[in-house]
Amino acid sequence: MSGERILVIEDEARIAQFVERGLIYEGYRVNVARDGQTGLVIARDNPPDLVILDWMLPGLDGLEVCKRLRAASDVPILMLTAKDDVKDRVTGLDAGADDYLVKPFSVDELMARVRALFRRSAPTSRPEILRFGDLTLDTGTHRAFRGDRAIDLTAKEYELLELFMRNPRQVLTRDVIFDRVWGYDFGGESNIIEVYVRYLRQKTEGESETRLVHTVRGVGYVLREE
Ligand code: CA
């Protein structure tokens, strides 16, 4: 899911920077606008895949920006607001916002909302065949193959393998895996990643094939050649 472009419209430098850093860390490309007018120009000239929009902006306020963005496209819009009352939320939703985040928020919370919005707008994404060595993964059917051998995956195994295959040769920390595969609200046992990596290894190397998912002790895991 990474590589999508996100436009952040936020006048407070501190928050804009915090949001920008978090998004870049997750692999998104980011444009920042400090006011609504600039944001609308960027959105028009270089349409983003998602907009994070502050409510209280100098000049054009977030609500007006939201209406104008919505008039021009279906881009998912996440509004940031310090106003946490129901009436304001309804007003924002009427203006075309898809979701809300009330300040102050954590970076995990922000990423979870962003991912959720991308998931909701996902039907437009085309199935792909991801390849790594002799391992292939069909994102349409959710089936994997090691060479010609078909591998059936459970939903979580699929998500984990997809994460690895979209980030080959990159060490994925336990935190990142947790966050991407289980979501920010997961409160279960902490060895769940180990358990699923074990399942995945049994399925992808069960026929004495070479190891693909390697442990990086104390850090996480990486999909790489031997
Ligand atoms: Ca503001």
Side-chain angles (χ1 to χ4, degrees):
M1 284 298 286
S2 40
E4 289 97 340
R5 226 165 46 76
I6 298 181
L7 170 60
V8 178
I9 309 176
E10 165 66 86
D11 59 309
E12 279 169 79
R14 195 177 49 83
I15 296 175
Q17 207 171 58
F18 165 77
V19 169
E20 184 182 20
R21 279 199 196 130
L23 293 170
I24 288 173
Y25 181 78
E26 293 292 321
Y28 297 110
R29 291 176 292 150
V30 183
N31 292 116
V32 177
R34 289 295 168 74
D35 63 79
Q37 200 65 56
T38 309
L40 288 170
V41 170
I42 294 174
R44 186 197 61 204
D45 293 347
N46 204 353
D49 299 304
L50 185 140
V51 177
I52 296 176
L53 173 63
D54 186 34
W55 185 301
M56 299 294 282
L57 291 168
L60 280 184
D61 72 1
L63 217 52
E64 185 56 33
V65 174
C66 185
K67 283 182 194 157
R68 294 190 193 185
L69 283 170
R70 185 51 77 234
S73 87
D74 290 331
V75 65
I77 301 173
L78 172 63
M79 287 200 82
L80 305 180
T81 177
K83 304 172 170 186
D84 187 20
D85 82 49
V86 175
K87 190 170 130 288
D88 287 333
R89 289 182 183 224
V90 172
T91 309
L93 290 172
D94 285 347
D98 295 283
D99 198 8
Y100 273 88
L101 198 49
V102 177
K103 295 177 180 178
F105 50 84
S106 72
V107 73
D108 288 349
E109 223 178 329
L110 175 69
M111 294 311 152
R113 299 297 182 94
V114 166
R115 280 194 303 276
L117 283 176
F118 276 128
R119 273 199 298 275
R120 273 192 257 158
S121 64
T124 53
S125 68
R126 292 181 301 276
E128 290 171 70
I129 306 291
L130 304 175
R131 296 176 202 282
F132 184 83
D134 62 352
L135 185 63
T136 54
L137 184 66
D138 184 329
T139 67
T141 62
H142 287 201
R143 290 194 82 192
F145 289 85
R146 186 91 201 248
D148 295 330
R149 184 170 70 83
I151 299 169
D152 286 318
L153 299 168
T154 64
K156 279 293 172 224
E157 289 164 0
Y158 168 80
E159 285 182 52
L160 184 59
L161 186 58
E162 186 188 7
L163 176 64
F164 281 123
M165 292 195 69
R166 288 192 185 280
N167 301 276
R169 300 184 195 89
Q170 291 178 44
V171 176
L172 301 176
T173 65
R174 296 171 43 86
D175 282 353
V176 165
I177 295 171
F178 238 113
D179 193 49
R180 301 274 188 93
V181 177
W182 280 274
Y184 65 107
D185 58 351
F186 184 81
E189 58 196 31
S190 62
N191 71 339
I192 192 90
I193 296 175
E194 285 72 12
V195 170
Y196 273 86
V197 165
R198 195 160 67 233
Y199 293 156
L200 213 49
R201 282 176 177 159
Q202 281 163 6
K203 291 190 176 182
T204 60
E205 356 168 321
E207 313 285 312
S208 8
E209 291 128 321
T210 56
R211 173 148 295 183
L212 293 173
V213 178
H214 299 265
T215 303
V216 181
R217 209 162 294 284
V219 183
Y221 297 91
V222 58
L223 179 71
R224 63 167 169 77
E225 297 85 354
E226 285 279 31

